[in-house]
Amino acid sequence: SLMSGTLTEPVRIYELAARSTVVDEFLDFSDLPRLAAILAPEKVEDGSVRVELVVSRADESVAVRGHLEAALGLQCQRCLGPMLFRLDHDFCWMLSETETRPGTLPSEFEPILLEDCRAEGIARGEGRDTTLKLAPLLEDELMLQVPFAPTHDEEACKATGDAFAARPVDGETAHPFAALAALRKNPD
């Protein structure tokens, strides 16, 4: 069965698993505050992440197989201009009440302890009655995919030679090397 409204509201994760639930939804950047904080501000208003999930049972645990797609407006750390980062990412989680014995979990699965989720305030209730907010976990997954220092491809990047040196940042403060570049151009 296909669910909607599943990503931002707390869900009964074991019930979703028992029904083998498929989720295909868009999650707005506004629901992902940590991600939104690193995006170029003009991109935050209207952006979203496509989230596809298959939630199923795995013994006493809940298996989540997921796919995330988004176009993220970031700032190139070379030229400081805007750049689009296309994210296309598959992941697998195993949500459990107890630590999985080492070696028993297939390697593609990342173990997630519901106890930790309760400690973080994103899960409540006990056992089968546990409700879980998926958005913060999805946000963690997204954050891990965003490059720490994103840069354009060489061709697209404006950071070459003097263009880099003289480029003002946000139109207010000139680049620290701008003065140097100006001196080099006018050696009076």
Side-chain angles (χ1 to χ4, degrees):
S1 61
L2 203 68
M3 294 276 293
S4 73
T6 344
L7 299 176
T8 50
E9 296 301 315
V11 291
R12 289 184 177 274
I13 197 70
Y14 286 103
E15 278 179 25
L16 297 191
R19 291 201 302 268
S20 289
T21 304
V22 176
V23 178
D24 187 350
E25 277 186 42
F26 286 89
L27 194 52
D28 291 341
F29 290 157
S30 57
D31 291 316
L32 304 165
R34 286 172 296 152
L35 183 70
I38 60 172
L39 298 178
E42 66 275 9
K43 298 277 185 233
V44 175
E45 297 304 307
D46 52 359
S48 62
V49 180
R50 183 174 185 179
V51 180
E52 295 168 273
L53 304 175
V54 180
V55 185
S56 55
R57 283 185 57 177
D59 297 326
E60 292 303 297
S61 302
V62 173
V64 178
R65 287 178 179 79
H67 182 76
L68 300 170
E69 265 177 69
L72 305 178
L74 301 174
Q75 186 181 50
C76 171
Q77 296 305 296
R78 253 200 313 249
C79 73
L80 303 179
M83 60 171 281
L84 207 58
F85 174 70
R86 295 200 179 282
L87 188 143
D88 194 334
H89 172 62
D90 291 305
F91 63 94
C92 299
W93 300 334
M94 189 66 73
L95 301 164
S96 315
E97 285 294 352
T98 50
E99 297 270 2
T100 321
R101 288 197 310 285
T104 54
L105 198 59
S107 60
E108 73 269 22
F109 281 96
E110 182 198 345
I112 294 179
L113 270 179
L114 288 168
E115 205 44 61
D116 293 345
C117 295
R118 290 187 191 97
E120 287 169 37
I122 61 172
R124 285 165 183 247
E126 290 301 316
R128 302 269 152 207
D129 293 327
T130 301
T131 60
L132 176 69
K133 284 187 197 154
L134 289 167
L137 287 176
L138 293 165
E139 187 171 30
D140 289 342
E141 197 69 46
L142 285 160
M143 296 293 283
L144 289 171
Q145 301 311 309
V146 176
F148 177 67
T151 50
H152 285 118
D153 296 337
E154 294 295 335
E155 314 82 77
C157 195
K158 296 186 174 64
T160 48
D162 281 351
F164 182 42
R167 187 186 166 81
V169 182
D170 292 336
E172 303 160 3
T173 52
H175 200 281
F177 297 119
L180 204 64
L183 284 175
R184 252 196 255 116
K185 281 201 199 103
N186 314 311
D188 296 340

